Amino acid sequence: MSETATLEINGKKYEFPLVKGTENEIAIDISTLRSVTSGITTLDNGFKNTSSCESAITFLDGEKGILRYRGYAIEELAEKSDFLEVAYLLIFGELPTKEQNEKFHRDIQKKSLVDEDVKKILDGFPKTAHPMGVLSALTSALTAFNPRSVNVDSEEDMYWAIVKILAKLPVLAAWAYRKEEGLPLEYGDNSLGYVENFLKMMFDLPNEVYKSNPVIVKALDKLLILHADHEQNCSTSTVRIAGSSHAGLFASISAGISALWGRLHGGANQAVIEMLEEIKEDGGGYQKYIEKAKDKNDPFRLMGFGHRVYKNFDPRANIIKVAAEEVLADLGIDDPVLDIARGLAEVALNDEYFKSRNLYPNVDFYSGIIYRAIGIPVPMFTVMFAMGRLPGWIAQWREMRLRKEPIGRPRQVYIGATERSFIEEDKR
Ligand code: SDX
């Protein structure tokens, strides 16, 4: 492989070094472009062709449908690991020993109380507030109650900021749900596992003895593993660039939650179920919706289909599809929406429009079917995505800070008005 790339502009040649990753990905390092060409930059809307950083956390191969966390295949981790262990792997780079695992969980349990004054902020929201907006606000508010979590110059301070957000975000997520349901706010039970405790915080009722369902715990644990990281997606890029200004971890995560909320990103899992429900209400015929999705004049898109990186299949969707069938069978639930989802995918996958554009079911297409089966209400689907993606956001933010990356500050190509003089009001 040659060491450099040559760019010729107006008869002048410029050489830029080539960077090669451990999976043989090649990038042109254009760090000096603007200075050596006296101001020329690149333009890449949506950063479809731009690597924003070098990272050792997650590897995706969109053509082969490969997803690995720190080198471990998602299929193996989903089958053999658990969410908290995967969180440790993503954040610290190695699978934990038994002692490390136990200490990590104990430290999280120690920090799982949230200042009672946070409830006053929650009280200020209307019951109709979307839980993603509540979660983003309360996550940012955590900074006020944990001021030492901002300047994390020592590994020790960074560790405790990481432990605190892993400990407290599930509490805030459960509180956002219980606020909407008008239920008393719960703290769960530290004798339970991380995911099991979250479910208890969500569904425990003051007048009933809570019974944990291992099928539901395992299904949610697997879903959270599958959502845990996905290299430089929209919300993760938001967390990294917010953190690059040395904003605190909680504030950076809050920014990521807001970015994830969008229906083209994490909000798609809610939009998928709403779309499938609309098709069901409309008699269950999906051809009409396939045609709408193909019609350029119709803003309708097949939610849960397509992906910026995966151009063959999203490995997570394949695992979630099987898990959805298992969970529904284990729980004895017959959900007609799953049949509609299967049929819709079948038709779309054989339709030239979708095939020619490499549009396949993504992580969001089937996940809502499981969330619904385990009792998670639709507006909370994207909160589940945020719960899953939290370790990935943390890992990427920590990597960016440990590598002492510069503040993110992209340039632009200005296309506005050239210089002109002020016009007095009576002359406009
Ligand atoms: C996530 O980046 C990540 O890793 C994200 C994520 C993660 O784990 O963090 O994987 C999670 O966000 C998954 C994606 C969830 N979003 C949706 O399901 C929403 C529906 N899908 C799309 O809006 C779209 O596919 C995106 C946003 C996911 C990807 O958009 P791109 O890569 O910018 O593709 P594009 O918009 O340029 O579309 C290319 C073509 C266009 O047609 P033409 O102009 O070429 O004729 O494909 C069409 C699009 O109109 N197209 C669709 C479509 N998605 C793309 N047409 C109908 N239905 C769709 N869903």
Side-chain angles (χ1 to χ4, degrees):
M1 170 186 115
S2 72
E3 299 302 308
T4 61
T6 306
L7 191 57
E8 183 170 345
I9 304 173
N10 301 331
K12 194 170 176 201
K13 290 188 176 180
Y14 305 89
E15 298 278 304
F16 297 98
L18 291 179
V19 174
K20 187 173 177 180
T22 51
E23 290 286 351
N24 298 318
E25 294 163 309
I26 294 173
I28 305 168
D29 180 344
I30 56 166
S31 317
T32 60
L33 173 66
R34 202 168 177 283
S35 57
V36 301
T37 61
S38 309
I40 294 177
T41 62
T42 59
L43 178 62
D44 184 20
N45 281 339
F47 310 116
K48 293 188 177 186
N49 307 282
T50 299
S51 294
S52 60
C53 62
E54 291 173 302
S55 177
I57 300 169
T58 292
F59 173 67
L60 300 190
D61 181 317
E63 278 59 45
K64 297 181 188 144
I66 291 173
L67 172 56
R68 297 192 199 117
Y69 296 159
R70 300 285 190 180
Y72 296 96
I74 191 67
E75 292 79 3
E76 254 201 305
L77 292 170
E79 214 35 60
K80 300 177 182 170
S81 187
D82 67 58
F83 178 60
L84 208 55
E85 182 175 73
V86 166
Y88 187 99
L89 169 67
L90 283 167
I91 295 166
F92 301 109
E94 297 298 336
L95 286 168
T97 62
K98 189 172 183 323
E99 294 68 32
Q100 287 169 330
N101 221 344
E102 286 170 355
K103 177 185 184 305
F104 190 50
H105 193 193
R106 254 196 331 276
D107 287 346
I108 288 170
Q109 290 168 331
K110 270 187 241 165
K111 298 296 179 184
S112 59
L113 294 181
V114 172
D115 192 297
E116 282 293 291
D117 284 346
V118 172
K119 292 179 180 175
K120 293 174 187 159
I121 303 170
L122 183 61
D123 284 345
F125 283 95
K127 273 202 175 65
T128 52
H130 193 289
M132 281 296 275
V134 174
L135 185 65
S136 174
L138 295 186
T139 300
S140 186
L142 281 181
T143 307
F145 299 91
N146 301 275
R148 281 194 58 188
S149 66
V150 179
N151 299 315
V152 287
D153 298 328
S154 74
E155 278 274 1
E156 180 76 2
D157 284 346
M158 186 179 283
Y159 175 78
W160 286 108
I162 289 168
V163 162
K164 283 177 181 176
I165 191 67
L166 280 166
K168 299 176 193 297
L169 192 123
V171 180
L172 301 181
W175 284 5
Y177 164 68
R178 294 178 77 92
K179 158 84 186 180
E180 208 176 343
E181 298 293 315
L183 288 170
L185 303 181
E186 279 284 316
Y187 265 118
D189 172 353
N190 273 348
S191 68
L192 301 176
Y194 186 79
V195 174
E196 191 178 12
N197 190 30
F198 167 70
L199 286 164
K200 182 176 191 297
M201 285 191 280
M202 282 278 289
F203 298 121
D204 191 13
L205 295 176
N207 55 357
E208 285 183 20
V209 174
Y210 178 77
K211 265 181 71 45
S212 174
N213 180 328
V215 170
I216 291 179
V217 174
K218 189 170 179 332
L220 183 56
D221 194 285
K222 180 178 278 192
L223 273 176
L224 295 175
I225 288 174
L226 294 167
H227 285 80
D229 193 47
H230 216 237
E231 57 132 283
Q232 305 311 316
N233 60 84
C234 176
S235 54
T236 299
S237 300
T238 303
V239 171
R240 281 186 85 119
I241 203 162
S244 72
S245 73
H246 287 198
L249 177 58
F250 301 168
S252 304
I253 297 293
S254 172
I257 294 169
S258 297
L260 186 72
W261 193 359
R263 67 195 314 268
L264 294 187
H265 189 15
N269 57 19
Q270 173 174 344
V272 167
I273 285 292
E274 288 165 351
M275 172 186 75
L276 294 173
E277 282 291 350
E278 184 185 340
I279 294 173
K280 189 180 88 177
E281 294 313 309
D282 193 13
Y286 22 78
Q287 197 52 47
K288 171 177 138 185
Y289 291 86
I290 296 273
E291 295 314 315
K292 277 171 64 72
K294 292 157 62 175
D295 178 357
K296 284 292 157 228
N297 300 317
D298 189 328
F300 176 81
R301 283 201 156 181
L302 208 53
M303 301 315 282
F305 255 71
H307 198 277
R308 173 61 60 76
V309 175
Y310 290 122
K311 296 306 175 193
N312 266 320
F313 62 92
D314 182 336
R316 301 168 298 177
N318 294 356
I319 299 171
I320 293 173
K321 180 170 182 253
V322 171
E325 286 153 1
E326 287 168 356
V327 169
L328 291 184
D330 288 348
L331 297 175
I333 295 172
D334 176 20
D335 184 349
V337 155
L338 177 57
D339 298 331
I340 292 174
R342 281 199 203 101
L344 185 63
E346 196 55 41
V347 171
L349 291 172
N350 290 297
D351 182 293
E352 197 40 43
Y353 172 92
F354 293 90
K355 286 199 304 191
S356 63
R357 291 168 179 78
N358 299 315
L359 302 177
Y360 297 83
N362 59 46
V363 66
D364 295 307
F365 190 66
Y366 296 104
S367 56
I369 289 160
I370 298 182
Y371 290 140
R372 198 159 72 158
I374 63 181
I376 307 274
V378 174
M380 283 291 288
F381 285 9
T382 312
V383 170
M384 293 300 105
F385 196 144
M387 282 261 301
R389 186 54 51 87
L390 180 60
W393 286 333
I394 293 168
Q396 300 273 351
W397 183 92
R398 179 175 180 270
E399 178 180 71
M400 176 274 303
R401 287 299 301 269
L402 294 183
R403 285 170 59 95
K404 300 193 183 330
E405 306 238 335
I407 186 168
R409 204 280 184 217
R411 301 307 300 260
Q412 64 170 23
V413 174
Y414 178 69
I415 54 171
T418 52
E419 186 171 13
R420 52 185 173 164
S421 304
F422 185 77
I423 303 166
E424 298 306 330
E425 188 181 274
D426 56 3
K427 295 190 178 60
R428 290 173 197 163

